[in-house]
């Protein structure tokens, strides 16, 4: 049985839960008190993941930390021939590019949301500015993709690029970033929501 | 420049799909633009009269839009028709969202005060293909001036109004309509007629992105 160490309001946990659901995989959750307890940084959790982050995935002998590593593992292990990780070298590279973007350029969006939800100071101006810049890069990309007749970030079907990028945009209102200025992302979010196995979390409305 | 039209561009038609809503800012005021399942476009104040929640966060069902908070449902005239917590209540006529006149022309959604005459837009083509909306941190006037001073290759200005610029060139007519979001922020909505090929629309979209990036690097240098 796949085991996910997770906190229910965690955005990166949502990335993994979303993929598990879309791949139709069952799993058990170990709830970790990230807020307010910061349990993921306690010694018993550092023994599982020395970096002190969530989520952590266990599957038999495999234990992984780092969201995109977990996503890539699940696809390779359970749907190796699916378009989630394209076989074509160029598209595989493009998916890796956006996976990197999701951990780098979107980190301020993840941090801004956590600060807005779990701290009294709220999100920092610099994180909000960087998050908006990242969303704008994504919107510029999808604007051109849409004109070219494509629905997804890479290739002709949804990939891990879409799945890893989407939660930050879907949850951006938690930190006060509205969707007004990103029309191409609005349409992309709506398309992705209609895919089989899509699930929501607190902050992503069930209705749309 | 001709006299100011009462019609304000608020979105590309293609970006408001049937059964969806989006928020926008018009002269600093929050508006919701939504399309019912029959395809008709609506522009309202973006506030549920109940708790002030933005209607653009809500959801469209058929020809009603519902608030995300408590599901209060409004018909296309802005009149509240159903309150889930009081299913048997005949909803008072006073529970109503203020609405605006809304129309579509040249691939763009336009709003005005109720009663405005859509004939004022008749100089524009009836339909057009979308290019993109571009969001700039400057006044609408400055944004349109930036367009006319950095034209796409082979294009020249063929018409202007207070809020629009029309460009011609390479067999394409480009309409750029400016929406003053507030005193410092503008959205430019771009559509094309004539040569509407993917190549043309793609290169115009990239021209617009490049224009924004150049304007921003100028602002950084000036600061």
């Amino acid at each position: 049985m796949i085991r996910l160490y997770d906190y229910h309001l965690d955005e990166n946990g949502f990335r993994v839960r979303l993929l598990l659901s879309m791949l139709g995989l069952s799993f058990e959750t170990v709830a970790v008190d990230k807020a307010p307890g910061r349990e993921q940084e306690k010694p018993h959790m550092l023994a599982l993941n020395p970096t002190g982050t969530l989520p952590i995935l266990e599957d038999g002998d495999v234990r992984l930390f780092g969201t995109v590593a977990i996503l890539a593992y699940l696809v390779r292990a359970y749907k190796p021939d699916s378009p989630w990780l394209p076989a074509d070298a160029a598209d595989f590279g493009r998916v890796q590019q956006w996976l990197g973007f999701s951990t780098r350029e979107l980190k301020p969006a993840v941090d801004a949301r956590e600060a807005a939800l779990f701290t009294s100071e709220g999100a920092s101006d610099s994180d909000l500015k960087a998050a908006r810049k990242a969303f704008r890069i994504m919107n510029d990309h999808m604007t051109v993709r849409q004109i070219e007749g494509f629905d997804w970030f890479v290739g002709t079907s949804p990939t891990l690029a879409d799945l890893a990028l989407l939660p930050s945009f879907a949850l951006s209102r938690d930190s006060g970033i509205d969707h007004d200025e990103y029309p191409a992302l609005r349409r992309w979010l709506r398309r992705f929501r209609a895919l089989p196995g899509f699930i929501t979390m607190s902050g992503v409305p069930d209705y749309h | 420049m001709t006299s100011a039209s009462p019609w304000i561009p608020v979105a590309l038609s293609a970006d408001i799909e049937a059964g969806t809503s989006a928020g926008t800012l018009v002269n600093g005021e929050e508006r919701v633009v939504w399309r019912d399942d029959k395809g008709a476009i609506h522009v309202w104040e973006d506030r549920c009269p109940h708790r002030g929640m933005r209607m653009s966060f809500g959801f469209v069902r058929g020809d009603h839009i519902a608030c995300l908070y408590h599901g209060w449902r409004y018909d296309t005239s802005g009149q509240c028709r159903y309150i889930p917590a009081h299913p048997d209540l005949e909803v008072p006529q006073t529970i109503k969202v203020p609405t605006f006149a809304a129309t579509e022309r040249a691939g763009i959604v336009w709003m005005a005060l109720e009663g405005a005459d859509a004939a004022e837009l008749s100089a524009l083509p009836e339909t057009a293909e979308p290019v993109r909306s571009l969001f700039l941190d400057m006044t609408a006037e400055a944004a349109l001036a930036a367009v006319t001073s950095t034209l796409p290759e082979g294009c020249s200005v063929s018409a202007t109004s207070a809020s629009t610029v029309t460009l011609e060139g390479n067999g394409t007519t480009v309409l750029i309509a400016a929406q003053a979001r507030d005193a410092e922020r503008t959205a430019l909505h771009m559509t094309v007629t004539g040569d509407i090929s993917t190549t043309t629309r793609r290169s115009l979209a990239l021209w617009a992105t490049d224009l924004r990036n150049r304007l921003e690097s100028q602002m950084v240098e000036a600061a």
Side-chain angles (χ1 to χ4, degrees):
Chain A
M1 178 66 113
I2 297 170
R3 180 182 294 158
L4 185 66
Y5 293 81
D6 191 12
Y7 173 66
H8 69 292
L9 293 178
D10 188 65
E11 179 177 326
N12 283 322
F14 177 52
R15 287 182 163 86
V16 176
R17 272 175 264 144
L18 183 55
L19 181 64
L20 286 164
S21 170
M22 296 184 84
L23 295 181
L25 300 173
S26 55
F27 64 102
E28 61 182 29
T29 299
V30 179
V32 180
D33 175 23
K34 179 171 174 173
R38 300 171 73 99
E39 189 188 350
Q40 76 280 10
E41 296 170 17
K42 301 269 165 69
H44 69 282
M45 292 302 299
L46 293 178
L48 303 179
N49 169 12
T51 66
T53 59
L54 289 178
I56 305 165
L57 185 96
E58 287 178 348
D59 187 16
D61 294 338
V62 180
R63 182 187 292 140
L64 294 170
F65 62 82
T67 308
V68 300
I70 294 171
L71 299 178
Y73 165 77
L74 287 170
V75 170
R76 271 287 180 275
Y78 293 97
K79 288 275 159 52
D81 301 322
S82 70
W84 288 107
L85 269 181
D88 174 74
D91 280 351
F92 181 81
R94 292 181 184 113
V95 169
Q96 296 301 325
Q97 168 190 287
W98 289 111
L99 288 174
F101 186 97
S102 78
T103 65
R104 230 176 18 244
E105 277 78 6
L106 281 182
K107 186 167 189 301
V110 175
D111 292 346
R113 176 176 168 274
E114 287 192 1
L117 292 183
F118 306 128
T119 71
S120 51
E121 300 83 46
S124 73
D125 287 344
S126 60
D127 276 347
L128 289 172
K129 196 175 165 210
R132 286 200 182 90
K133 190 177 168 197
F135 292 146
R136 201 170 80 173
I137 291 168
M138 290 163 58
N139 188 67
D140 284 347
H141 178 73
M142 284 311 292
T143 299
V144 173
R145 293 282 293 165
Q146 227 164 240
I147 288 173
E148 291 169 341
F150 296 108
D151 288 341
W152 311 107
F153 266 74
V154 177
T156 53
S157 30
T159 65
L160 282 190
D162 301 287
L163 187 136
L165 297 169
L166 183 121
S168 291
F169 184 65
L171 292 164
S172 74
R173 285 163 170 168
D174 281 352
S175 52
I177 300 179
D178 200 9
H179 291 177
D180 304 20
E181 294 190 19
Y182 316 103
L185 297 185
R186 246 176 17 227
R187 296 174 67 183
W188 163 72
L189 171 60
R190 183 159 182 263
R191 279 194 290 273
F192 196 91
R193 291 189 64 122
L195 294 174
F198 183 84
I199 52 166
T200 58
M201 68 169 283
S202 177
V204 182
D206 284 320
Y207 300 106
H208 61 104
Chain B
M1 298 247 178
T2 56
S3 65
S5 157
W7 293 96
I8 301 165
V10 290
L12 292 180
S13 291
D15 282 336
I16 313 292
E17 296 168 297
T20 68
S21 62
T24 190
L25 270 184
V26 178
N27 295 318
E29 307 276 347
E30 290 178 340
R31 306 292 180 230
V32 56
V33 185
W34 67 281
R35 191 184 296 282
D36 63 43
D37 65 347
K38 294 188 187 76
I41 200 81
H42 309 276
V43 181
W44 294 2
E45 240 181 61
D46 197 7
R47 288 273 157 242
C48 179
H50 180 216
R51 290 296 180 94
M53 179 66 175
R54 292 185 65 180
M55 294 302 299
S56 55
F57 287 20
F59 46 96
V60 179
R61 286 287 179 274
D63 58 359
H64 284 60
I65 185 167
C67 180
L68 183 66
Y69 262 13
H70 305 98
W72 289 29
R73 241 181 266 165
Y74 299 85
D75 71 15
T76 51
S77 70
Q79 176 64 49
C80 185
R81 291 293 176 195
Y82 183 70
I83 297 176
H86 303 281
D88 300 325
L89 180 74
E90 176 116 0
V91 181
Q93 296 289 309
T94 49
I95 304 180
K96 195 170 184 303
V97 183
T99 61
F100 298 92
T103 192
E104 295 183 88
R105 188 95 192 178
I108 291 171
V109 179
W110 306 79
M111 66 163 280
L113 293 178
E114 287 287 7
D117 187 359
E120 302 218 27
L121 295 169
S122 59
L124 300 176
E126 229 169 288
T127 59
E129 287 298 306
V131 176
R132 70 167 300 172
S133 295
L134 189 73
F135 295 86
L136 297 170
D137 291 337
M138 56 179 61
T139 65
E141 216 174 20
L144 288 175
V147 166
T148 51
S149 65
T150 322
L151 295 172
E153 216 179 304
C155 279
S156 58
V157 178
S158 65
T160 58
S161 75
S163 64
T164 64
V165 172
T166 304
L167 312 176
E168 300 259 11
N170 315 319
T172 306
T173 304
V174 186
L175 174 66
I176 300 178
Q179 169 191 1
R181 285 161 57 77
D182 60 23
E184 290 155 1
R185 288 183 293 171
T186 299
L188 295 181
H189 306 288
M190 298 176 56
T191 63
V192 287
T193 47
D195 171 13
I196 54 164
S197 67
T198 299
T199 312
T200 297
R201 288 185 298 132
R202 185 177 186 279
S203 68
L204 284 168
L206 293 174
W207 165 81
T209 310
D210 183 59
L211 172 68
R212 183 198 68 207
N213 294 345
R214 283 203 243 174
L215 290 168
E216 287 185 357
S217 70
Q218 283 169 17
M219 281 187 253
V220 170
E221 279 164 27

